[in-house]
Amino acid sequence: MQNNIFSALFVGQNLVTIKEVDSTNTFLKNLLSNSKPLPEGTVIMAESQYAGRGQQQNKWHSEPGKNLTFSILLTPGFLPVINQFDLNRVVSLGVFDALEPYLGSKLKIKWPNDIYYDDRKLGGILIETHILSGHIKHAIIGIGLNINQESFDAGAGNAISLKQILHKDYDLRTILSEICAHIEAHYLSLKAGRFLAVREVYLSRLYWLNQQKYFRSNDQVFEGIIRNVKDEGLLVVENNNEQQEFSLKQIEFLNK
């Protein structure tokens, strides 16, 4: 374990850096299975992650040493399972707040928790929770962000990096420190019971909010407008003056 100069009170204060790993989430899960407990806020950062995962088993493509691939341990025992989507909100907002000074108004959160610049994917988040007695015993939060990578293969889809946008290199640890501090701030806000404030800010930063766009659901393409995200995380899309609710696997965003 390594000490560091991160400004957050606990997120990132216990930092473990590794050269190469299949997945930082898997590595952190294996550490948790050992008898010695890990402090909340432990961060596992990998220079190279060769089996990173995104939502719905998507692979995360990352060039070694160029990007941020890391996982954070949180123990939100205060959070009922019914409210676990608020963790998605907190983490997404933390990443957003760290990157917004660099990227400005084109930065958005694509529901549920991808980080977008314009119509390109800058990063993704994967949260895995362990539930005990109706509450979340711990959450492993995997984050992948494209920082200094200059090109992506076809399999990376619509990926973009900070360097491609701003044409300069960035120090990975500096950005990691900023992300940890912002995630902690939103997490403590949630812990203090400010659920409504967290939900309102998350909604205000949502990609395609109140815009007429194309979606696909049940093999049908339709035009709709994102109007809201329910407390439990369902996406509310208005279609022909009717509001429909979708879970992650029920709707696809179509960039036409």
Side-chain angles (χ1 to χ4, degrees):
M1 306 299 175
Q2 305 171 10
N3 292 323
N4 57 83
I5 56 170
F6 283 21
S7 60
L9 296 174
F10 61 95
V11 177
Q13 289 302 325
N14 187 38
L15 174 67
V16 181
T17 57
I18 44 183
K19 185 84 173 168
E20 184 178 74
V21 71
D22 55 349
S23 156
T24 54
N25 270 27
T26 301
F27 186 90
L28 186 46
K29 273 189 279 191
N30 290 338
L31 277 184
L32 277 173
S33 68
N34 296 335
S35 56
K36 186 179 178 182
L38 288 172
E40 184 175 32
T42 291
V43 172
I44 309 296
M45 178 183 177
E47 182 177 313
S48 174
Q49 181 175 256
Y50 55 83
R53 290 176 293 134
Q55 297 285 357
Q56 300 179 324
Q57 305 306 311
N58 293 330
K59 290 292 179 70
W60 183 258
H61 301 263
S62 183
E63 188 178 328
K66 296 288 188 180
N67 304 313
L68 278 174
T69 50
F70 63 101
S71 294
I72 302 171
L73 173 66
L74 293 176
T75 54
F78 63 89
L79 194 64
V81 173
I82 193 170
N83 291 334
Q84 64 179 319
F85 191 80
D86 285 311
L87 269 183
N88 289 58
R89 292 182 171 99
V90 160
V91 177
S92 301
L93 287 172
V95 175
F96 181 98
D97 285 355
L99 296 178
E100 188 184 31
Y102 300 95
L103 296 171
S105 62
K106 289 187 177 182
L107 188 69
K108 298 291 179 184
I109 299 167
K110 181 185 174 188
W111 175 89
N113 50 18
D114 280 340
I115 306 301
Y116 263 53
Y117 178 82
D118 213 354
D119 291 318
R120 307 282 295 277
K121 185 173 178 177
L122 192 63
I125 297 160
L126 177 67
I127 299 177
E128 300 178 87
T129 55
H130 181 197
I131 309 299
L132 187 66
S133 303
H135 283 73
I136 303 169
K137 183 180 179 184
H138 63 248
I140 295 175
I141 294 142
I143 300 174
L145 288 171
N146 301 322
I147 305 297
N148 294 323
Q149 190 161 333
E150 295 183 72
S151 62
F152 297 88
D153 60 32
N158 62 341
I160 195 169
S161 71
L162 203 57
K163 182 167 186 178
Q164 286 178 319
I165 299 165
L166 299 174
H167 310 293
K168 59 185 287 190
D169 283 310
Y170 291 88
D171 182 73
L172 297 180
R173 290 214 180 197
T174 298
I175 294 177
L176 175 63
S177 174
E178 291 164 353
I179 291 169
C180 288
H182 284 292
I183 287 176
E184 180 177 282
H186 286 289
Y187 181 70
L188 291 176
S189 182
L190 196 66
K191 194 171 185 177
R194 294 191 281 273
F195 289 81
L196 185 59
V198 167
R199 292 167 184 173
E200 286 178 346
V201 176
Y202 172 86
L203 183 65
S204 72
R205 295 173 178 176
L206 212 58
Y207 178 69
W208 284 7
L209 180 67
N210 297 325
Q211 299 178 47
Q212 187 138 333
K213 296 290 184 178
Y214 285 95
F215 301 87
R216 181 185 288 119
S217 181
N218 294 323
D219 294 323
Q220 299 293 316
V221 174
F222 68 95
E223 279 189 273
I225 303 171
I226 294 174
R227 293 299 193 194
N228 198 10
V229 177
K230 303 285 281 186
D231 291 354
E232 68 276 17
L234 295 176
L235 185 70
V236 179
V237 180
E238 184 179 300
N239 178 20
N240 293 326
N241 296 317
E242 291 186 8
Q243 293 196 347
Q244 299 173 269
E245 298 173 4
F246 298 92
S247 66
L248 177 60
K249 296 179 181 179
Q250 293 175 328
I251 191 168
E252 179 186 356
F253 289 56
L254 300 178
N255 289 92
K256 290 198 171 187

